[in-house]
């Protein structure tokens, strides 16, 4: 017999008091508490004596009662701080239930410890809402390691069985309301059931609502009772039951706000997965639909219990109507589901309107509207897969699981600024110092947020140490966007702009050009404070000057008293395929090394590594602090990147795959570069632009660089493999043909 169809027990208070005394040795007055399908009585023996007697209806089974009992005992062992009402054994033995004969037959009877407190309602304050769902998350964590063979029972209250509510729709008298519940069921079948197998599931409480929870004077959870609906179902469905309970009776304009606070409370302990957020709104609707549909059906059968059964009906109907007015999709988004992607054209228009004309244009004639990434792949709004052979920020691949987990784990634990002590920053600084060439003297680190900030700080170190104002950079270099560093970035100079304090050198004749630049800056009174080289000479067309030329240029700069800055923002982190830092392939000794773009695999983090005396010179004049520089999350991301590069042997991969790819690219133009930083020079910029756009249409992303914009820039994540290289080459063959 189904527990929802079996008649409730019919014992009097005096009979229950006698049962409590006879079976459990508990003396006291029995007061009925109300129940949907069972009978529940408080046995008040005064002070803390007594308990709660629960007499089950005739449809209950012994194995299900054992499920409830063992679940409670398991929770008490795993998380003793959770205030579950523990079952009391009979006569101090091992059995937790007995049987009693009633007017309709034999019933199971149990005694639970008495919990103190009050029930909450729509007046529950925000902080208590968060605590309520956080407690549910703890309960879910405690139960996820529990199993019982009876947990597979089918119960109409289980949200998984929402489609079965069709059988009781006829009990809803009002046609409009009947259609509303039918629409919820339709939506459940269309949107939730296909995703149900992907939802995390285990044995849950099954009825964590405000009627089954006692609150203390501070409105915090003080008691958890009634495991009568426990069973195996989706964890998110269990949460939806709690949310439905919290939202009933709320003002219309407060429903979604409070729902989000409930989501936040639960996520303190159990973050939601994407698929769970997609269906969460539908699960809440399904729970509300079950409340009103089962209520109508039960009242038809047991009108004498109508007051208890229908206690929350009107509030539940109203909440359903609020959801319906908002629209099911909008409701899901309010609770955290991602909205569908906007059209690319509309998004591009919004970008132009909101971000202004000064922002660099989008890369391709057909803009790339990306919604997710994985490894070497990006996926656009239409779920087309794009081979990313251009972006050096995700150096270990888009959304690498170890980096994303490091970010998420640290975000959940702590994120603050560097005026406090915490391990990740110090560990990262030690790792970076240890990665520098032995005997280099590069022993001091400062963490900032971007390559521009890193080069800005490097410039401050140089000017502070030398007292000079002049800089030497390559003729089409890019080092950043700050006011000072933009003067060191001729790639970004407007036509006709050339600061007198910046001298340009060609990467094709570095030694002679550096001697000339030093003389030029000395002659105009600026002197040489620093020489900045991008170790991959990326913006200059990805040049690879001879090592002796680079070494001689550095020697000349040092002789002139200048600070040499190796800018590893584009070429570092193993991209050269030989060593972690590209400057080391030239055998030169920088005074300062700057890191940026790939350092956090997309999380903003950058660094300056220098000799301590340079920082001491600056400290004698001023102090430097970056609020977010080296924050625990950024440092954790950077550490994870270094670990992945080492564990997956990505430097060797970059060298091997890059060497093979350069050989395959020779038919297309003048090929140069190291590792997976490769340039292919074409005859003119128009041809290069055509090729880049043709590849983009073909699902392959590369860029352009060089003073004339005629060099194809190939700079993929270091997880790029031979198969990806072959796809790129075949794409180029199609583009050129």
């Amino acid at each position: 017999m189904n527990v929802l169809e079996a008649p409730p027990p019919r014992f009097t208070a005096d009979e229950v008091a006698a049962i409590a005394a006879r079976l459990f040795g508990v003396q006291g007055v029995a007061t009925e508490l109300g129940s949907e399908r069972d009978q529940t009585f408080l046995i008040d023996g005064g002070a803390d004596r007594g308990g709660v007697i629960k007499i089950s209806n005739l449809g209950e089974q012994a194995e299900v009662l054992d499920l409830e009992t063992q679940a409670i005992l398991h929770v008490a062992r795993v998380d003793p701080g959770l205030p579950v009402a523990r079952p009391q054994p009979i006569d101090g033995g091992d059995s937790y239930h007995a049987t009693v004969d009633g007017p309709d037959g034999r019933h199971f009877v149990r005694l639970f410890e008495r919990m103190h407190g009050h029930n909450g309602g729509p007046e529950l304050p925000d902080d208590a809402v968060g605590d309520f769902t956080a407690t549910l998350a703890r309960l879910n964590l405690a139960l996820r390691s529990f199993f019982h063979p009876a947990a597979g029972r089918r119960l109409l209250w289980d949200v998984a069985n929402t489609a079965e509510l069709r059988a009781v729709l006829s009990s809803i008298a009002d046609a409009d309301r009947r259609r509303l519940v039918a629409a919820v069921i339709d939506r459940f079948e269309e949107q939730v059931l296909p995703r149900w197998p992907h939802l995390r599931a285990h044995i849950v409480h099954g009825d964590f609502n405000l009627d089954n929870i006692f609150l203390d004077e501070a409105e915090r959870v003080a008691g958890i009772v009634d495991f009568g609906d426990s069973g195996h179902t989706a964890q998110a469905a269990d949460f939806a039951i709690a949310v439905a309970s919290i939202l009933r009776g709320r003002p219309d304009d407060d429903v979604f706000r409070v729902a989000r606070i409930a989501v936040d409370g639960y996520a303190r302990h159990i973050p939601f997965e994407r698929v769970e957020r997609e269906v969460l709104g539908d699960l809440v609707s399904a729970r509300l639909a079950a409340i009103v549909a089962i209520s109508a059906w039960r009242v038809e059968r047991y009108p004498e219990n109508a007051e208890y059964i229908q206690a929350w009906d009107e509030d539940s109907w109203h909440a359903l109507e609020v959801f319906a007015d908002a629209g099911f999709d909008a409701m899901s988004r309010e609770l955290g589901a991602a909205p569908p992607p906007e059209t690319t054209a509309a998004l591009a228009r919004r970008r132009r309107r909101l971000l202004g004309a000064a922002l660099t244009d989008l890369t391709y004639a057909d803009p790339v509207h990306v919604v997710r990434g994985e490894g070497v792949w990006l996926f656009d709004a239409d779920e087309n897969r794009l081979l990313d052979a251009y972006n050096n920020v995700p150096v270990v691949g888009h959304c690498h699981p170890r980096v994303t987990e490091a970010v998420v784990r640290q975000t959940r634990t702590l994120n603050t600024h560097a005026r406090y002590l915490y391990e990740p920053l110090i560990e990262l600084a030690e790792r970076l110092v240890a990665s520098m060439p032995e005997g280099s003297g590069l022993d001091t680190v400062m963490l900032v947020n971007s390559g521009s900030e890193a080069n800005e700080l490097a410039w401050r170190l140089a000017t502070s140490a030398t007292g000079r104002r002049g800089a030497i950079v390559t003729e089409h270099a890019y080092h950043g966007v700050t006011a000072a560093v933009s003067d060191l970035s001729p790639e970004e100079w407007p036509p006709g702009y050339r600061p007198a304090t910046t001298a340009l050198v060609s990467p094709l004749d570095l030694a002679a050009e550096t001697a000339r630049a030093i003389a030029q800056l000395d002659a105009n009174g600026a002197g040489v404070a620093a020489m900045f080289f991008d170790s991959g000479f990326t913006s200059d067309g990805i040049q690879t000057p001879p090592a002796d030329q680079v070494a001689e240029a550095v020697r000349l700069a040092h002789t002139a008293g200048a600070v040499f800055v190796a800018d590893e923002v584009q070429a570092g982190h193993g991209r050269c395929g030989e060593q972690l830092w590209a400057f080391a392939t030239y055998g030169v000794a920088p005074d300062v090394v700057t890191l940026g773009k790939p350092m956090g695999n997309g999380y903003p983090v950058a660094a300056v590594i220098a000799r301590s005396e340079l920082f001491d010179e600056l400290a004698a004049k001023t102090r430097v602090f970056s609020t977010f520089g080296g924050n625990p999350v950024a440092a954790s991301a950077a550490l994870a990147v270094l670990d992945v590069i080492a564990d997956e042997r990505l430097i060797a991969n970059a060298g091997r795959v890059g060497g093979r790819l350069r050989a395959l690219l020779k038919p297309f133009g003048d090929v140069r570069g190291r590792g997976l930083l490769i340039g292919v020079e074409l005859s003119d910029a128009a041809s290069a632009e055509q090729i880049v756009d043709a590849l983009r249409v073909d699902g392959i992303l590369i860029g352009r660089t060089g003073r004339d914009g005629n060099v194809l820039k190939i700079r993929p994540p270091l997880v790029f493999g031979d198969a990806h290289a072959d796809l790129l080459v075949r794409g180029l063959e199609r583009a050129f043909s």
Side-chain angles (χ1 to χ4, degrees):
M1 185 185 299
N2 188 301
V3 292
L4 293 180
E5 295 179 296
R10 293 183 292 155
F11 289 84
T12 67
D14 289 341
E15 289 171 331
V16 171
I19 291 169
R22 176 168 54 87
L23 292 178
F24 299 98
V26 176
Q27 304 287 338
V29 177
T31 304
E32 188 161 9
L33 299 175
S35 177
E36 179 214 2
R37 59 182 186 263
D38 305 315
Q39 271 191 303
T40 306
F41 290 82
L42 171 65
I43 308 299
D44 190 351
D48 284 329
R49 294 189 300 274
V52 174
I53 286 278
K54 187 168 185 176
I55 303 176
S56 301
N57 74 23
L58 295 174
E60 203 61 89
Q61 298 173 329
E63 57 266 31
V64 171
L65 300 186
D66 187 62
L67 159 67
E68 297 175 32
T69 298
Q70 297 305 323
I72 297 168
L73 296 176
H74 179 86
V75 170
R77 287 192 301 270
V78 173
D79 189 346
L82 283 172
V84 290
R86 292 170 174 81
Q88 304 300 296
I90 298 173
D91 293 331
D94 296 328
S95 177
Y96 290 90
H97 66 263
T99 58
V100 292
D101 290 324
D104 302 306
R106 182 162 291 179
H107 300 264
F108 291 110
V109 59
R110 292 168 290 166
L111 176 71
F112 295 88
E113 66 179 313
R114 180 178 183 178
M115 309 301 290
H116 295 277
H118 64 276
N119 296 125
E123 73 287 346
L124 205 63
D126 292 353
D127 57 350
V129 168
D131 180 77
F132 185 81
T133 52
T135 303
L136 172 59
R138 286 177 57 193
L139 183 60
N140 283 155
L141 288 172
L143 283 169
R144 68 181 180 180
S145 57
F146 173 67
F147 177 76
H148 193 283
R153 63 172 175 158
R154 290 189 69 81
L155 192 62
L156 191 57
W157 278 115
D158 185 350
V159 176
N161 301 321
T162 296
E164 295 178 19
L165 294 176
R166 290 194 192 280
V168 300
L169 279 179
S170 60
S171 298
I172 302 173
D174 184 278
D176 290 336
R177 286 183 163 181
R178 192 163 55 247
R179 281 191 291 270
L180 176 54
V181 172
V184 171
I185 298 170
D186 291 343
R187 169 83 177 190
F188 185 89
E189 291 178 325
E190 293 166 5
Q191 298 295 322
V192 181
L193 282 183
R195 293 177 169 90
W196 194 269
H198 303 284
L199 301 177
R200 291 175 291 182
H202 55 80
I203 295 174
V204 301
H205 180 279
D207 200 11
F208 197 93
N209 73 71
L210 289 169
D211 285 341
N212 289 331
I213 306 299
F214 289 100
L215 306 175
D216 61 20
E217 293 180 356
E219 305 293 341
R220 297 302 189 268
V221 175
I224 303 170
V225 302
D226 193 359
F227 279 65
D229 288 341
S230 56
H232 187 280
T233 193
Q235 180 177 278
D238 201 40
F239 172 74
I241 291 167
V243 174
S245 172
I246 289 167
L247 298 185
R248 294 180 306 199
R250 295 273 176 176
D252 294 3
D253 59 356
D254 211 33
V255 166
F256 294 123
R257 184 191 69 83
V258 172
R260 290 189 290 271
I261 290 172
V263 169
D264 293 342
Y266 190 86
R268 292 180 208 167
H269 301 290
I270 305 179
F272 290 90
E273 294 180 349
R274 179 181 59 83
V275 66
E276 291 170 329
R277 287 187 176 272
E278 288 175 353
V279 300
L280 190 53
D282 295 303
L283 295 176
V284 176
S285 293
R287 171 62 175 185
L288 292 168
I291 290 170
V292 295
I294 294 174
S295 171
W297 174 60
R298 293 275 292 168
V299 166
E300 281 185 340
R301 283 154 180 75
Y302 308 108
E304 70 279 3
N305 199 24
E307 182 178 356
Y308 182 89
I309 293 172
Q310 294 179 319
W312 285 104
D313 274 18
E314 283 309 310
D315 285 331
S316 298
W317 277 119
H318 186 72
L320 269 177
E321 288 158 0
V322 169
F323 288 175
D325 289 343
F328 289 120
D329 289 328
M331 179 189 67
S332 295
R333 291 193 292 273
E334 291 279 6
L335 270 65
E342 192 171 357
T343 67
T344 300
L347 193 60
R349 286 194 297 271
R350 288 174 63 197
R351 181 185 191 269
R352 284 192 296 271
R353 184 178 73 252
L354 294 168
L355 305 186
L359 182 65
T360 303
D361 287 339
L362 293 163
T363 302
Y364 305 99
D366 180 12
V368 175
H369 179 184
V370 291
V371 296
R372 63 186 179 93
E374 181 181 346
V376 299
W377 301 102
L378 288 169
F379 296 83
D380 69 15
D382 297 319
E383 278 299 304
N384 296 309
R385 192 172 72 162
L386 308 172
L387 179 65
D388 186 357
Y390 176 49
N391 192 349
N392 79 320
V393 172
V395 64
V396 297
H398 290 281
C399 304
H400 191 286
R402 196 182 313 180
V403 182
T404 55
E405 177 57 27
V407 169
V408 171
R409 184 173 60 244
Q410 186 61 55
T411 302
R412 291 179 192 151
T413 306
L414 170 73
N415 204 20
T416 185
H417 57 68
R419 285 198 174 103
Y420 299 137
L421 279 173
Y422 45 83
E423 283 77 4
L425 185 153
I426 307 303
E427 183 183 348
L428 176 59
E430 289 173 341
R431 291 275 294 275
L432 292 176
V433 166
S435 75
M436 294 296 121
E438 188 175 353
S440 66
L442 296 164
D443 58 1
T444 305
V445 179
M446 184 160 184
L447 278 297
V448 289
N449 306 292
S450 69
S452 294
E453 286 183 62
N455 283 325
E456 170 82 16
L457 179 55
W459 177 241
R460 291 181 68 182
L461 291 172
T463 55
S464 175
T466 65
R468 306 188 192 109
R469 299 175 294 110
I472 299 172
V473 300
T474 53
E475 59 190 5
H476 200 61
Y478 175 77
H479 296 290
V481 298
T482 67
V485 177
S486 63
D487 274 359
L488 313 183
S489 302
E491 182 186 38
E492 298 296 311
W493 290 351
Y497 181 78
R498 183 158 184 173
T501 54
T502 302
L504 306 182
V505 298
S506 168
L508 302 181
D509 190 12
L510 278 178
E513 292 270 295
T514 299
R516 176 191 55 75
I518 292 170
Q520 173 191 327
L521 292 171
D522 284 344
N524 68 19
V528 187
M531 179 168 70
F532 280 72
F533 282 170
D534 162 9
S535 302
F537 299 93
T538 311
S539 296
D540 290 287
I542 309 177
Q543 302 291 343
T544 53
D548 60 347
Q549 284 281 310
V550 178
E552 178 62 12
V554 173
R555 186 193 69 79
L556 290 169
H558 279 153
T559 301
V563 170
F564 170 50
V565 180
D567 181 345
E568 293 280 322
V569 171
Q570 296 196 70
H573 283 85
R575 182 160 293 282
C576 65
E578 298 173 30
Q579 302 183 60
L580 191 61
W581 310 118
F583 72 78
T585 63
Y586 290 107
V588 294
D591 304 295
V592 182
V593 178
T594 57
L595 314 177
K597 290 185 192 300
M599 190 174 177
N601 209 56
Y603 195 93
V605 56
V608 177
I609 305 116
R611 291 182 283 106
S612 58
E613 57 263 31
L614 290 174
F615 279 104
D616 291 343
E617 289 271 3
L618 183 62
K621 302 177 179 67
T622 187
R623 293 300 175 95
V624 178
F625 178 71
S626 172
T627 299
F628 298 112
N631 67 74
V633 176
S636 297
L639 285 166
V641 168
L642 293 174
D643 288 342
V644 172
I645 289 172
D647 289 351
E648 297 187 9
R649 300 175 177 172
L650 293 184
I651 298 175
N653 183 74
R656 186 188 63 78
V657 175
R660 178 175 177 271
L661 180 56
R662 288 196 303 277
L664 293 173
L665 292 172
K666 285 182 178 178
F668 302 109
D670 179 19
V671 180
R672 48 188 180 251
R674 284 191 174 91
L676 284 173
L677 178 60
I678 301 172
V680 182
E681 185 172 352
L682 305 185
S683 58
D684 55 76
S687 298
E689 184 176 18
Q690 248 184 335
I691 295 298
V692 168
D693 281 333
L695 284 173
R696 184 266 174 272
V697 171
D698 203 15
I700 299 171
L701 307 178
I702 67 170
R704 290 189 298 143
T705 189
R707 181 176 57 187
D708 299 320
N710 64 327
V711 178
L712 302 180
K713 180 164 60 174
I714 298 168
R715 191 184 54 178
L718 300 190
V719 292
F720 208 72
D722 289 334
H724 308 123
D726 292 341
L727 287 173
L728 171 59
V729 171
R730 289 197 293 272
L732 280 166
E733 289 171 348
R734 290 189 292 272
F736 273 90
S737 66

